[in-house]
């Protein structure tokens, strides 16, 4: 399969910019030239690569070609850096990270990586259970995920375990659980979830043997505000240890079941590609994870 580099760059531009017209503006070519390049790639692969949605989305075949396009761009950027011909602003590394890690330990790792590699980062936020879809679609080069099995074309390394605790404000706990965590109390007490992908609270209920309990729910899709909502007594929820240890120590929060924390293994999945920048970023992430999640 012979796909010219300018065609691969065009596919990447379309996905990044969201439309063929926006890609044409970025590449300084006409929209018809963009369409011709896409059509040529589809003829050579024998499959549709893009769905003309708003923004555009890639098909399964398109995701494979997009991943190849980004990997080719990564190799070219690495070669340019070795020849001192790279961008003075550094190359862009796209990552997908879960909100809790961003709110606790990952940003220091990112800052260190920016300093040591000179790279620029575009971070996408996604739940750790679905972040591998971003890798599979070719959107990102690496992902912090709870999925151990490597995405095709990637490697997977376990880098640590994050521990989550079921917590609530003291007044909330006294009001809703005066006789303990029985099924009736758990069914009445409001529960806070990050979004509709968040399964931690349900996992905690299952660990207590209450799989059929359906509490009233709030949804707060921001890590800091999620923790604040719990402290303000909106409901109970699961927080990572790094995010709740100080509040537990001061009494601002209490644990619902101190002997039942949940563990979340974290894996660093990345392209199976030799790249000085991606290798360095991966080593820094693993090092910072060992410090933070020990």
């Amino acid at each position: 399969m012979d796909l010219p580099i300018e065609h691969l760059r065009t596919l990447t531009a379309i996905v990044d910019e969201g439309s063929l017209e926006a890609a044409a503006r970025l590449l300084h070519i006409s929209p018809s030239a963009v369409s011709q390049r896409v059509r040529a790639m589809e003829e050579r692969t024998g499959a549709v690569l893009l769905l003309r949605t708003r923004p555009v989305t890639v098909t399964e075949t398109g995701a494979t070609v997009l991943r190849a396009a980004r990997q080719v761009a990564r190799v070219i950027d690495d070669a340019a850096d070795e020849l001192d011909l790279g961008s003075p602003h550094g190359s862009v590394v796209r990552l997908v990270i879960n909100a809790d890690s961003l709110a606790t330990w990952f940003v220091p790792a990112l800052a260190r990586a920016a300093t040591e590699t000179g790279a620029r980062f575009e971070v996408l936020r996604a739940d750790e259970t679905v972040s591998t879809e971003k890798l599979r679609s070719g959107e990102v080069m690496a992902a912090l995920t709870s999925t151990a099995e490597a995405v095709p074309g990637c490697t997977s390394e376990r880098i640590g375990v994050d521990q989550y605790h079921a917590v609530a404000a003291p007044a909330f706990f006294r009001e809703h659980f005066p006789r303990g965590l029985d099924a009736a109390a758990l069914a009445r007490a409001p529960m806070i979830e990050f979004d509709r992908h968040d399964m931690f609270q349900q996992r905690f209920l299952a660990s207590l043997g209450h799989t059929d309990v359906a509490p009233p729910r709030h949804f707060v899709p921001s890590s800091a505000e999620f923790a604040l909502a719990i402290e303000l007594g909106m409901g109970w929820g699961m927080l990572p240890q790094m995010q709740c240890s100080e509040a537990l120590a001061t009494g601002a929060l209490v644990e619902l079941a101190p002997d039942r924390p949940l563990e979340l293994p974290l894996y660093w999945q990345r392209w199976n590609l030799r790249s000085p920048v991606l290798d360095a970023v991966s080593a820094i992430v693993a090092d910072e994870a060992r410090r933070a999640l020990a």
Side-chain angles (χ1 to χ4, degrees):
M1 182 180 66
D2 181 19
L3 295 175
I5 289 178
E6 63 268 22
H7 289 192
L8 295 174
R9 285 176 174 160
T10 300
L11 179 64
T12 301
I14 293 169
V15 174
D16 288 348
E17 298 300 313
S19 70
L20 276 67
E21 294 77 13
R25 289 193 295 271
L26 178 70
L27 298 171
H28 304 292
I29 60 176
S30 67
S32 63
V34 171
S35 294
Q36 289 169 12
R37 290 179 181 182
V38 172
R39 187 159 53 251
M41 284 188 288
E42 291 180 334
E43 289 174 355
R44 295 187 184 194
T45 58
V48 174
L49 302 181
L50 293 172
L51 300 177
R52 270 61 166 184
T53 54
R54 289 191 176 274
V56 296
T57 53
V58 291
T59 63
E60 185 175 350
T61 301
T64 300
V65 176
L66 177 61
R67 186 167 64 246
R70 293 199 191 279
Q71 290 178 349
V72 168
R74 179 71 265 155
V75 170
I76 292 174
D77 284 348
D78 287 339
D81 289 341
E82 288 186 35
L83 296 171
D84 292 326
L85 297 174
S87 168
H89 303 298
S91 57
V92 177
V93 177
R94 292 166 62 91
L95 310 173
V96 58
I97 312 297
N98 65 302
D100 288 338
S101 294
L102 278 174
T104 52
W105 66 273
F106 195 83
V107 171
L110 204 62
R112 177 182 163 191
T115 299
E116 294 185 17
T117 68
R120 291 175 290 134
F121 293 93
E122 181 175 354
V123 178
L124 307 182
R125 189 183 69 183
D127 182 84
E128 63 281 340
T129 60
V130 299
S131 54
T132 50
E133 294 304 316
K134 302 289 186 182
L135 269 178
R136 188 172 286 106
S137 70
E139 289 185 64
V140 298
M141 303 176 190
L144 189 64
T145 175
S146 61
T147 302
E149 182 180 359
V151 169
C154 297
T155 62
S156 178
E157 175 190 3
R158 179 166 164 153
I159 60 170
V161 177
D162 211 350
Q163 196 172 79
Y164 282 71
H165 300 266
V167 296
F172 179 94
F173 183 83
R174 290 192 298 269
E175 177 184 353
H176 291 279
F177 304 112
R179 290 179 293 278
L181 306 181
D182 57 79
L186 287 166
R188 290 191 302 267
M191 178 175 75
I192 303 178
E193 294 185 333
F194 189 85
D195 56 26
R196 295 185 185 275
H197 295 293
D198 181 5
M199 298 302 295
F200 272 108
Q201 286 68 220
Q202 297 294 340
R203 282 180 56 192
F204 173 74
L205 292 173
S207 75
L208 299 176
H210 298 306
T211 55
D212 57 344
V213 168
R217 298 182 295 172
H218 300 290
F219 294 97
V220 183
S222 170
S223 190
E225 284 72 20
F226 181 96
L228 179 61
I230 295 174
E231 288 195 32
L232 293 176
M234 281 182 63
W236 68 270
M238 306 296 295
L239 288 179
Q241 185 167 318
M242 289 183 66
Q243 201 172 15
C244 66
S245 57
E246 184 176 343
L248 288 172
T250 62
L253 292 175
V254 295
E255 283 199 68
L256 273 62
D259 59 337
R260 290 185 180 272
L262 295 182
E263 291 189 341
L264 178 70
L266 291 175
Y267 298 85
W268 181 248
Q269 292 210 30
R270 52 159 287 186
W271 289 346
N272 188 14
L273 175 73
R274 292 297 301 273
S275 162
V277 170
L278 191 52
D279 290 348
V281 171
S282 297
I284 290 168
V285 168
D287 183 51
E288 292 294 327
R290 281 191 294 270
R291 299 170 190 238
L293 304 175

